[in-house]
Amino acid sequence: MSTTPNVPYRLEFSVEVPGTPEQVWQAIATAKGMSAWFTPTEMEEREGGSLHFTMGAEMGSDGEVTAWEPPRRLVYEEDWAALMGKEPDALSPLTSEFVVEAQSGGTCVVRVTSSGFGRGEDWESEFWDTMAPGWMPFFDNLRLYLSHFPGQEATHFEASASHTGDADALWSGVRRALGLGDEGTTADLRGATGTVERVGERQALVRLTEPVPGMISVYVWDEGDGKATAGVRAYLFSPDAASHARREQPAWTSWLQSISVPA
C-alpha cells in the first residue's frame, strides 16, 4: 500500500436553486449564508481567508478559501487529516469547489465538486461512500432557504440521541411519533407547525411557520455496529429565534432520548 496520499477520490453533483447569482453567492460563499442552511460557519470572505465549520460540540473542520470569484466560483480546502485524526502527511487537503451558473426563469445551477487524495485505506472509501448521503440533504435546505428566507440570518440549534437498534426501525419510530406525512402535508412537530417539504431516506425537511418561521431537518443516521442516531437540525428566522432555540434544544434532546426503537 502506498505511503503517500496519491489515491484519488472525487464527488460531483449539481443542484438547481431559485435566485439570482448574487443571492446564491450570498448563501454559499458567506459565513452568514452558509450558517443559514449548512452548519455554523466562520469565514474570512476573501481568497486566502480562514474557514471553520462547527460540526458539533466537540467537532469542527478548519480550512482556507483558495479561490474567491464572486458571484461565480468559490473553492476552499479543509484539513482532512486533522478532521479524521490522522497524521498531517497521511491525506491531502479536502478541496470543495462551487460554481454558480445562471439559468433562465430566475434560477441558478450550483455545480459542486469535492476531491482529495488518500492512501487507499478502507476507511477512506467508507468516508467517500457516506459523504454524498450525508451532504446532499443540506442542499434541500439551501433550496428551501433561497425560496423562503434569502439573505436572512439564522439562529441554529441541533439535538440528537444515540440508540441501539436498526436505523430503519428507528426512523420508522421517529416518523410515527412525530406524525410526519408525505411531502406537502401539514406537520406538527411537538407544537411547531409547518409543511413537509422533502422526504428522503431516513430524513425529512419541514418548513416551519409557527411559532417562529424557519426550517427543521429530522433525520436518522446509521452509526454501524447495531446503533443509530436520531436528530434534528433547526434554522430559525425571527427576532424571537434565540430564546425559542434555548428552550427547544434541551426539550428536543430529551424527546429524542425517549424514542423507543420498534422491534
Side-chain angles (χ1 to χ4, degrees):
M1 182 177 296
S2 172
T3 58
T4 60
N6 60 8
V7 178
Y9 298 96
R10 190 176 183 89
L11 172 66
E12 296 179 278
F13 58 90
S14 299
V15 293
E16 186 170 5
V17 297
T20 65
E22 291 75 18
Q23 288 173 318
V24 176
W25 178 262
Q26 183 278 331
I28 67 169
T30 70
K32 174 183 172 181
M34 295 276 290
S35 299
W37 61 273
F38 183 41
T39 190
T41 301
E42 300 170 30
M43 179 190 294
E44 294 179 340
E45 296 162 7
R46 59 176 175 82
E47 186 172 332
S50 63
L51 178 70
H52 178 78
F53 296 120
T54 299
M55 299 178 174
E58 301 179 357
M59 186 177 181
S61 180
D62 293 306
E64 179 183 348
V65 177
T66 58
W68 176 268
E69 303 169 18
R72 182 178 178 274
R73 180 173 176 264
L74 169 73
V75 184
Y76 59 81
E77 293 182 348
E78 296 173 79
D79 190 340
W80 188 20
L83 178 63
M84 304 309 298
K86 304 297 181 179
E87 293 297 321
D89 61 350
L91 302 164
S92 76
L94 175 58
T95 300
S96 294
E97 178 184 49
F98 292 69
V99 176
V100 180
E101 299 177 358
Q103 306 291 297
S104 61
T107 67
C108 290
V109 168
V110 182
R111 304 192 187 281
V112 184
T113 304
S114 288
S115 59
F117 290 88
R119 296 179 175 177
E121 298 184 20
D122 290 344
W123 72 265
E124 296 169 3
S125 296
E126 293 171 2
F127 174 90
W128 286 88
D129 287 345
T130 60
M131 187 175 180
W135 203 14
M136 287 299 295
F138 286 104
F139 289 88
D140 291 325
N141 297 357
L142 173 61
R143 190 178 294 108
L144 187 58
Y145 171 67
L146 286 166
S147 295
H148 295 277
F149 311 106
Q152 296 188 45
E153 185 171 1
T155 295
H156 180 274
F157 78 81
E158 186 164 353
S160 63
S162 181
H163 292 265
T164 299
D166 177 74
D168 289 329
L170 178 58
W171 173 242
S172 295
V174 169
R175 190 171 180 181
R176 182 169 60 251
L178 290 175
L180 276 171
D182 296 331
E183 294 176 8
T185 60
T186 299
D188 185 348
L189 305 183
R190 303 182 53 257
T193 304
T195 301
V196 179
E197 297 281 347
R198 175 82 171 111
V199 177
E201 184 179 2
R202 298 195 297 267
Q203 184 267 343
L205 178 62
V206 176
R207 177 170 59 89
L208 300 174
T209 52
E210 296 291 344
V212 295
M215 53 191 186
I216 187 166
S217 176
V218 184
Y219 65 90
V220 166
W221 185 257
D222 190 349
E223 300 177 37
D225 299 323
K227 299 186 70 176
T229 293
V232 297
R233 295 186 190 93
Y235 310 81
L236 308 177
F237 304 95
S238 164
D240 301 326
S243 59
H244 183 78
R246 285 193 295 269
R247 293 192 303 270
E248 288 301 304
Q249 193 275 338
W252 270 105
T253 298
S254 296
W255 186 86
L256 291 164
Q257 290 170 342
S258 71
I259 288 292
S260 59
V261 183

